Amino acid sequence: MSSTPTFIGAIEIGTSKVTALIGEYNGRELAIIGCGECSSRGVIKGSVVDYKAASDCTHSALEQAERDAGERIDLVFLAQSGGHLDGFYNEAGVSVKSSDNMIDGDDIRTVCDLAKAKELPAGRMVVHHIRRPFRVDGRIVPTSPENLVGQKLEVGYWTVHGQEQRLADNIHVIRGFNLEVRELVLSSLASGHMVTTPEERQNGVLAIDIGAGTTDFVLYRDGVPHTTGVVPVGGTHLTNDLSIGLRLTEGQAEKLKLRHGRALLQARDKVEKVWLDGNFAIGDRQFPRYAIEQITAARTWELLEVVKKKLGHAFSPETCQAGVVLTGGSAKLPAIADCAAKVFGVNAHLGEAPSWITENMREPGYHTALGLLYYGVSAAGDRSAPARRKGGFFQSVSRLFATS
Amino acid sequence: MKLEFNHNPARSWRDISQPVKPRAMSPEGRRRLVLATLRVGMVTAVAAGVLWSAWQVSRVVGEKAPHSSAPVPAELVKDIHLVTDGALDRAWIVDTLALPKNATLLELDLDQLRARVLAHGQVVTAMVERQFPSTLVVRVSERSPVARVMVALGDEAPQTLLVARDGVVFPGVGFKVEMLETLPWLDGVKLARSGGGFAPINGMATVAELLAKAKLEAEHLYQTWHVVSLARLESDGALEVRTQGDALRVRFSTSQDYFRQLARLDWLLDEALRRTGRAAAKIDLTASTQVPVVLAAVAVADAPRVTALNAPAPALARPFAISAFPHLSSQNKNKL
């Protein structure tokens, strides 16, 4: 166990709010010690469009979190979302070199490098290389194939890439606080890691994080992320549709959405009306509940349909036996799980944070930041593990002292 | 043949340059940047200081090593410089130090040399210094003689020694003969051997005080003093001064003020000569009010006489007493 803890900041710069959490990581355990929040400005659909405004609110959230924790952040894990993110699958296969057909480390490295060797268009940068399970002669190997016997070794990578400028803008906002971005994690991976269990991921589960400006999703199969994606549509679009359809301001539409919006049509009485404010104030108006539900339900259905369409052949009820898990601020819309179940043809439920997360952190709005911490720590550990194994005598000795 | 291919041609987000210009930072970010820079600067400065110190130490150690193994030949003592407040001269210091031939400065034992210099009674304090490259400097302070004493040891011829104010007896070196001849001789002292010389004479402080007072206040008297006897110093607290040929013997009391006694003596000498036409032969100043005076047998040729007082002369060598200060007592005046 390391003697000096590292204070990791997990930051999600969302369209509606910026969330910053601080975790104290001692090399073995992670404890949440601080939290900061700020209404987001200068961010549209997960992308920074006003650097100054986005910096101000992000730094405000960071300062608040540091005050709450009483410690200074050492490094940052940053959530990445936005419509510019895209992904593709590429796989490669090699013939095992050894005469006895036993797979060694060189075979694994070669096939992994080949699978990741796909070039990207100009201005695009890799955010994640997500490896799918190895296959040895067509047989799926969930863990390392080293020392297994076979003639052909195959592996595939789901590569997530994004626009360079958008990625740089997000990083520079954090850097403006003189903090280093150590990990850039896809929002869907972060939140999906938090709201799904390992069993669900093994059986196949689709995690959908419906935010204000974007909807991030990740499909898990065989315990690993299979496909990820971002739809630049979120809760604000429901508000916008209500605003246009009912001729309301954005604030009024948001209020109606939160009070009377539903993901499935429930109202039978087309003339039943609801008050805008309900406080009998001058200017208070009535609106048909049916119309409100119709608009929000149609838009939600459409949003989920878009997700399903983007998943394409990757999704099928047979390969997604654990169903759909919904999270994010807009997942609080009533009946959204039923709507998802109907759209995807599998059971669906709202995601919940693990029981060991404290009550005040169990809100869906924190799932991404929480997942960011836990997923980031494990991802950073995985990446540093091979390097450690290659270390010499002195590194081994120093590790011995570090863990004692 | 090893398979060659392009490793990860796609750029990762890690290739994005993270540092931003300070103008793109928030005030808090700039503050953190300054603090971080200061911290790095301090750590660097400390590290640099430690390294510099280590380098200096290693350099000094490295420089000392060849010096100790290959010493530079020291220069011979070419000059001995004496700084003194008295009469000692360079010849004396050269003889006293008796440095070996081809001696170098570093070879000299300064403590031993200083002891040699201090062994001479004329020297009060001494300091011996090396002045590189080749000069030895000796700084001394000396005793001043206040009297002389004649010493005869066994069969040796009598020799004259000088006595300082603190009673130290020493063979004077470098003093002018004319100056030495003005010094009175000491009588009635018993010299005790001490080491290679003599033990200091007790009571010399009071003798020196008398001599100094006489020399300063009544030099015409002092010039006639030939011998100062300390024979009755311890027993009676009296000093006896004799002039050349014992023409006059004056006894001083050590318990009374010398200035008053000198003044009384001066007056008495003059008064006796003026009144009687004869010089005084013995004057005892130890009594507080009366001064016994013995007049010389032969009258002084040009001595002034008091015409009004035509009293018969007293018998030869017959003592009589007069008031030390007759203007205070008219009876004494009449008696004369």
Side-chain angles (χ1 to χ4, degrees):
Chain A
M1 197 165 114
S2 177
S3 57
T4 52
T6 306
F7 298 99
I8 303 169
I11 302 167
E12 182 195 15
I13 305 174
T15 306
S16 68
K17 67 171 182 176
V18 178
T19 307
L21 295 183
I22 297 180
E24 182 180 355
Y25 183 58
N26 59 14
R28 201 168 56 186
E29 292 174 345
L30 181 68
I32 313 294
I33 60 169
C35 171
E37 261 186 323
C38 186
S39 294
S40 183
R41 294 185 305 277
V43 181
I44 296 178
K45 295 181 189 298
S47 299
V48 174
V49 294
D50 183 342
Y51 180 84
K52 179 78 169 56
S55 290
D56 287 347
C57 60
T58 305
H59 297 175
S60 172
L62 282 167
E63 283 181 45
Q64 192 182 334
E66 283 193 337
R67 273 200 304 274
D68 190 28
E71 296 287 349
R72 292 169 72 91
I73 298 172
D74 296 321
L75 50 96
V76 164
F77 294 164
L78 179 62
Q80 183 63 50
S81 183
H84 64 99
L85 294 171
D86 206 350
F88 63 86
Y89 178 69
N90 189 47
E91 65 178 14
V94 294
S95 296
V96 178
K97 282 190 305 182
S98 173
S99 59
D100 58 1
N101 290 330
M102 185 176 281
I103 298 167
D104 60 13
D106 281 345
D107 293 324
I108 296 170
R109 274 192 295 277
T110 303
V111 74
C112 287
D113 288 341
L114 280 172
K116 291 191 286 187
K118 190 86 171 175
E119 289 188 8
L120 294 177
R124 305 292 294 184
M125 286 188 135
V126 172
V127 178
H128 283 293
H129 282 300
I130 302 168
R131 183 173 57 75
R132 291 183 183 174
F134 288 98
R135 287 198 304 276
V136 178
D137 294 339
R139 170 170 56 108
I140 289 179
V141 179
T143 57
S144 170
E146 193 167 8
N147 298 330
L148 292 179
V149 175
Q151 290 188 337
K152 190 173 184 184
L153 176 65
E154 295 170 293
V155 74
Y157 275 89
W158 177 259
T159 300
V160 181
H161 55 95
Q163 203 171 338
E164 182 178 351
Q165 290 88 347
R166 303 277 179 86
L167 297 174
D169 286 344
N170 272 20
I171 290 171
H172 289 161
V173 165
I174 302 301
R175 194 63 197 182
F177 202 65
N178 199 40
L179 286 172
E180 179 202 359
V181 177
R182 184 65 62 85
E183 289 293 333
L184 198 65
V185 181
L186 205 61
S187 292
S188 56
L189 290 177
S191 56
H193 188 79
M194 208 65 212
V195 297
T196 60
T197 62
E199 292 76 23
E200 286 176 330
R201 293 196 285 269
Q202 188 64 39
N203 294 331
V205 65
L206 173 64
I208 303 175
D209 181 350
I210 308 174
T214 59
T215 298
D216 301 89
F217 60 90
V218 54
L219 175 65
Y220 291 94
R221 277 167 61 173
D222 302 318
V224 295
H226 183 274
T227 306
T228 65
V230 181
V231 178
V233 178
T236 53
H237 293 84
L238 274 69
T239 308
N240 194 45
D241 285 358
L242 279 175
S243 168
I244 294 168
L246 300 177
R247 291 186 173 81
L248 291 168
T249 64
E250 210 163 286
Q252 291 169 334
E254 179 71 17
K255 208 180 293 178
L256 274 184
K257 183 186 83 174
L258 294 176
R259 282 187 188 166
H260 308 293
R262 279 182 64 85
L264 280 179
L265 200 57
Q266 188 185 40
R268 298 284 176 238
D269 187 358
K270 292 187 179 180
V271 295
E272 183 190 356
K273 294 193 174 176
V274 293
W275 287 96
L276 176 61
D277 294 322
N279 57 359
F280 305 106
I282 296 172
D284 199 5
R285 289 188 287 162
Q286 285 188 318
F287 295 95
R289 180 191 291 274
Y290 187 84
I292 297 168
E293 289 185 0
Q294 200 174 24
I295 291 171
T296 53
R299 183 54 108 177
T300 308
W301 186 278
E302 185 188 359
L303 170 63
L304 295 174
E305 280 285 354
V306 171
V307 171
K308 187 180 178 185
K309 189 179 175 185
K310 285 200 83 170
L311 282 167
H313 296 297
F315 175 83
S316 67
E318 293 76 26
T319 57
C320 191
Q321 293 175 1
V324 176
V325 180
L326 296 156
T327 184
S330 297
K332 288 189 281 189
L333 193 70
I336 195 166
D338 298 333
C339 179
K342 283 188 177 179
V343 170
F344 291 100
V346 292
N347 60 348
H349 63 276
L350 294 180
E352 288 181 357
S355 56
W356 40 266
I357 297 289
T358 53
E359 193 61 38
N360 57 339
M361 290 279 153
R362 297 175 69 84
E363 279 287 308
Y366 291 119
H367 287 170
T368 302
L370 282 172
L372 200 54
L373 276 177
Y374 289 96
Y375 182 84
V377 166
S378 59
D382 288 347
R383 188 166 40 260
S384 60
R388 281 183 188 169
R389 282 196 291 273
K390 286 179 185 172
F393 172 74
F394 289 108
Q395 282 193 13
S396 304
V397 172
S398 64
R399 195 162 62 248
L400 185 69
F401 282 108
T403 53
S404 60
Chain B
M1 183 179 165
K2 194 173 179 181
L3 181 64
E4 294 287 341
F5 57 88
N6 185 12
H7 290 271
N8 293 335
R11 292 193 303 151
S12 165
W13 70 269
R14 295 183 189 281
D15 298 327
I16 295 172
S17 171
Q18 289 206 20
V20 295
K21 292 176 180 172
R23 65 179 164 82
M25 301 178 87
S26 65
E28 175 63 16
R30 279 194 287 270
R31 196 178 68 82
R32 294 168 71 108
L33 179 64
V34 169
L35 287 177
T37 308
L38 283 175
R39 200 179 303 133
V40 170
M42 285 173 63
V43 169
T44 307
V46 168
V50 169
L51 287 175
W52 183 81
S53 305
W55 178 72
Q56 285 289 330
V57 168
S58 67
R59 196 171 65 90
V60 168
V61 170
E63 280 179 357
K64 277 186 176 173
H67 277 211
S68 58
S69 60
V72 175
E75 288 208 32
L76 300 177
V77 179
K78 290 179 182 169
D79 189 20
I80 298 175
H81 185 52
L82 176 66
V83 180
T84 179
D85 58 351
L88 293 173
D89 54 8
R90 188 177 178 281
W92 173 83
I93 195 69
V94 169
D95 289 345
T96 305
L97 293 176
L99 297 182
K101 214 173 182 183
N102 301 328
T104 63
L105 270 187
L106 288 174
E107 288 172 358
L108 299 177
D109 184 349
L110 298 188
D111 289 336
Q112 191 183 11
L113 296 179
R114 180 170 175 271
R116 278 186 207 170
V117 175
L118 285 173
H120 196 279
Q122 191 168 329
V123 179
V124 182
T125 62
M127 198 163 62
V128 184
E129 308 172 344
R130 293 186 183 96
Q131 195 171 76
F132 290 96
S134 58
T135 304
L136 187 68
V137 178
V138 182
R139 300 176 194 279
V140 296
S141 59
E142 297 182 31
R143 290 187 172 88
S144 296
V146 295
R148 294 177 286 177
V149 64
M150 185 73 77
V151 178
L153 293 173
D155 297 336
E156 293 178 8
Q159 59 173 333
T160 302
L161 299 179
L162 305 181
V163 183
R165 181 187 181 85
D166 55 359
V168 173
V169 181
F170 60 93
V173 176
F175 294 109
K176 291 181 179 174
V177 178
E178 296 80 16
M179 190 277 286
L180 293 178
E181 284 177 348
T182 64
L183 297 178
W185 295 92
L186 289 186
D187 187 25
V189 294
K190 290 179 181 175
L191 292 176
R193 297 300 296 264
S194 172
F198 299 97
I201 298 171
N202 291 329
M204 268 310 289
T206 186
V207 176
E209 187 184 350
L210 171 63
L211 295 175
K213 276 270 171 56
K215 193 173 184 179
L216 184 68
E217 306 293 347
E219 194 175 4
H220 59 288
L221 297 178
Y222 173 79
Q223 285 173 351
T224 62
W225 292 1
H226 187 58
V227 175
V228 178
S229 174
L230 282 69
R232 299 184 65 179
L233 177 63
E234 285 187 10
S235 57
D236 301 335
L239 291 172
E240 188 177 270
V241 175
R242 296 178 223 145
T243 59
Q244 190 76 35
D246 281 352
L248 174 64
R249 292 183 176 211
V250 182
R251 190 171 291 172
F252 290 92
S253 170
T254 57
S255 59
Q256 295 178 37
D257 181 36
Y258 287 134
F259 181 76
R260 290 175 63 87
Q261 292 182 72
L262 286 169
R264 191 183 294 175
L265 172 65
D266 191 28
W267 183 83
L268 283 172
L269 288 173
D270 289 347
E271 196 66 13
L273 192 62
R274 187 175 66 84
R275 294 196 181 191
T276 64
R278 288 183 292 176
K282 276 187 181 177
I283 299 175
D284 190 350
L285 298 167
T286 55
S288 57
T289 54
Q290 297 294 314
V291 179
V293 177
V294 176
L295 296 174
V298 182
V300 179
D302 299 329
R305 300 288 295 264
V306 179
T307 53
L309 196 70
N310 199 9
L316 278 177
R318 180 180 165 191
F320 68 102
I322 59 173
S323 173
F325 294 98
H327 61 277
L328 298 176
S329 167
S330 58
Q331 285 183 346
N332 290 336
K333 193 182 288 182
N334 295 334
K335 195 179 283 183
L336 271 174

